[in-house]
Amino acid sequence: MRAPVKIDLSQANLPPGASTVGYAYIIGGLYTNAGLTTFECYRLDASGTLHAISTSDNTQAANTFPDPNGVVSATDRLTINATYPSSWADYSITLSTTAPNYIDLGNINTANIPGLGTGNNAFSMRVYISLGIPKLPFTAQAAYTAGGVDHVNPYAGPGFDSGSPGALCLFDWFECSIDSGGVLNGNPTYVDQFGMPLVVVAQPGTTTQGQLNITRQQVLTNIAGFSPASVYAGLTQAATASSAYPSGTNYLRAISPDHLAGLSGTPGAGASFGTYFDTTISAWDGLGTDISVTDTNSGTYVSSSFTSTSVGGVVTGTWTFTKSGSPNLVFNDITSSNIWQCAGSMASGGTAQQNIGKQLLAAFNRGQMNTPGPLSLSDSSCPNPTTAYYQSTPYNMWAKRFHNWSSNGLAYGFAYDDVCSQNPSFNTTGAMTSLSITLGTMF
């Protein structure tokens, strides 16, 4: 059965010029057995044909990228070459920038992919879109075993941190999965970065997600001006090789606070980035009994104690929650960095620990924790987001603004933005019959 993805760049207000070219890359993989011990990777070509990843795909030499029309200046070429440190595979699918493009996803089925199933055995993939001359480098790797999982045909994908492979490419992606029944689950996301606005909808049964009410250029200009600069410095990344991209491209992307917090030493972050939530954390010291958290699956946990310490100017909180008949939940590394990144003990451990922890992380990011005192959080009795979230600082400005800029108010601004359904995830109600990815207004 045909299941076309329509990729449309024609609505984006792209400027004319030899550097205004577009490409798609469809690549992913799946666990092929019930024990989740074997993971295999595939990519699709322009006809929708599936290909297993192979090291023989690495036909592009290291420190080079194709520029058949000689558009990129000699100086910019040297700059970009450095971000192709290994031989790589050109998995690009050329896109028209003036008319919709169609690629069939119908070959993602049990006949072509042994082991395709549901859940963890679904085919998890990304549809990347890039603009400009530099193409995304994917380097196929030799098989290896790690963590008890056999990676049969793995690959290294492009990055967006300064100096990483592909970092000087202009791109974004839509991540999704397709299971053995053809059901598609997906979402546009800003958890790691924002490169380009992608508007997505699938049939049957989903509504449009990712539509912004301002242009890409306005988004990035706004992010560059986030205040206070002592916190939000370092999010935007300038386009340092301008001849390679559509005319007027000032920024390649902005990286999110979540991702910035995960980098060693948070390079480029403002001086107050790593202590941003410290005043809120320490304000709960001694008041930890005034909060309860209810999760639909895990029940209600009530805080029994909260303490905080400051070492080297960084505050760390420890929160204990109890529920009759259940082991205590202890969150012992509540820090600004872990709140930004949605990491640490609030995002690990047993099921109940994770279910309660993610609500705490969401509440910190949304500014709900800023007034210490009686507070009840529940994923089954959610407040009005307009009046309850992002009302007083500190809160996650990145997440707040993307919700403001989203036409339907939904956005994946941090990892647990799905708490109380503020995220734009969707599932088709049956086997996917179509998927549309439209590039939003760029300028």
Side-chain angles (χ1 to χ4, degrees):
M1 184 178 73
R2 287 183 56 81
V5 54
K6 179 179 78 171
I7 301 176
D8 189 356
L9 310 185
S10 67
Q11 309 301 309
N13 191 33
L14 293 172
S19 294
T20 301
V21 290
Y23 302 98
Y25 318 74
I26 305 176
I27 189 167
L30 76 162
Y31 289 100
T32 59
N33 60 347
L36 309 183
T37 58
T38 304
F39 193 88
E40 297 192 19
C41 299
Y42 298 84
R43 57 100 178 178
L44 275 72
D45 64 20
S47 69
T49 302
L50 276 162
H51 302 269
I53 301 300
S54 169
T55 54
S56 63
D57 298 340
N58 299 326
T59 58
Q60 304 296 313
N63 302 123
T64 66
F65 67 95
D67 178 17
N69 297 323
V71 172
V72 181
S73 71
T75 300
D76 288 349
R77 172 175 288 280
L78 289 175
T79 300
I80 298 171
N81 277 345
T83 62
Y84 294 86
S86 304
S87 59
W88 56 284
D90 183 356
Y91 292 149
S92 65
I93 300 169
T94 301
L95 299 177
S96 167
T97 60
T98 58
N101 306 266
Y102 295 90
I103 303 166
D104 188 14
L105 302 182
N107 287 323
I108 301 175
N109 57 46
T110 55
N112 294 321
I113 304 180
L116 179 65
T118 60
N120 288 322
N121 297 113
F123 183 70
S124 178
M125 67 183 190
R126 284 182 171 180
V127 180
Y128 289 87
I129 296 174
S130 73
L131 283 178
I133 303 301
K135 295 181 179 181
L136 297 184
F138 294 89
T139 297
Q141 300 174 331
Y144 65 89
T145 299
V149 176
D150 294 327
H151 295 263
V152 178
N153 42 10
Y155 63 91
F160 49 83
D161 296 324
S162 179
S164 62
L168 293 185
C169 296
L170 171 56
F171 69 97
D172 214 311
W173 65 84
F174 169 62
E175 55 190 30
C176 60
S177 65
I178 298 177
D179 67 19
S180 54
V183 173
L184 180 141
N185 169 271
N187 61 266
T189 175
Y190 313 119
V191 170
D192 289 312
Q193 64 106 44
F194 170 76
M196 301 187 296
L198 300 180
V199 185
V200 295
V201 63
Q203 298 301 332
T206 80
T207 58
T208 300
Q209 301 293 339
Q211 179 74 55
L212 301 183
N213 50 42
I214 61 175
T215 68
R216 173 192 188 267
Q217 185 165 291
Q218 290 171 326
V219 168
L220 290 166
T221 299
N222 272 285
I223 293 173
F226 274 4
S227 180
S230 61
V231 173
Y232 290 104
L235 298 185
T236 51
Q237 296 184 345
T240 57
S242 59
S243 65
Y245 317 111
S247 176
T249 302
N250 298 322
Y251 298 100
L252 286 180
R253 65 187 54 85
I255 59 175
S256 74
D258 176 310
H259 187 78
L260 188 64
L263 301 178
S264 176
T266 58
S272 302
F273 181 80
T275 59
Y276 181 59
F277 293 100
D278 283 11
T279 55
T280 297
I281 297 170
S282 59
W284 282 90
D285 201 334
L287 297 175
T289 58
D290 292 329
I291 185 170
S292 66
V293 184
T294 300
D295 175 77
T296 303
N297 297 313
S298 300
T300 299
Y301 283 78
V302 178
S303 173
S304 62
S305 66
F306 183 91
T307 59
S308 65
T309 59
S310 179
V311 178
V314 176
V315 172
T316 300
T318 297
W319 220 328
T320 301
F321 283 80
T322 64
K323 174 187 171 187
S324 178
S326 301
N328 289 351
L329 306 180
V330 180
F331 306 101
N332 58 9
D333 56 1
I334 302 174
T335 63
S336 290
S337 179
N338 281 341
I339 291 169
W340 285 124
Q341 201 183 5
C342 292
S345 60
M346 290 180 286
S348 60
T351 300
Q353 177 106 359
Q354 294 183 53
N355 287 341
I356 300 302
K358 71 180 183 180
Q359 291 202 54
L360 293 172
L361 285 166
F364 273 113
N365 274 278
R366 293 169 178 167
Q368 291 176 277
M369 309 295 290
N370 293 337
T371 305
L375 179 64
S376 295
L377 303 174
S378 173
D379 66 349
S380 61
S381 180
C382 298
N384 182 336
T386 303
T387 56
Y389 300 156
Y390 309 110
Q391 297 302 299
S392 64
T393 57
Y395 54 65
N396 186 329
M397 177 72 77
W398 172 278
K400 171 184 168 61
R401 290 296 183 86
F402 273 107
H403 283 281
N404 292 156
W405 296 328
S406 173
S407 295
N408 65 4
L410 301 179
Y412 240 131
F414 58 91
Y416 290 126
D417 228 352
D418 57 333
V419 170
C420 285
S421 302
Q422 294 302 292
N423 61 310
S425 299
F426 58 80
N427 291 286
T428 57
T429 54
M432 182 193 70
T433 55
S434 68
L435 168 66
S436 174
I437 304 174
T438 302
L439 182 62
T441 306
M442 295 287 286
F443 300 95

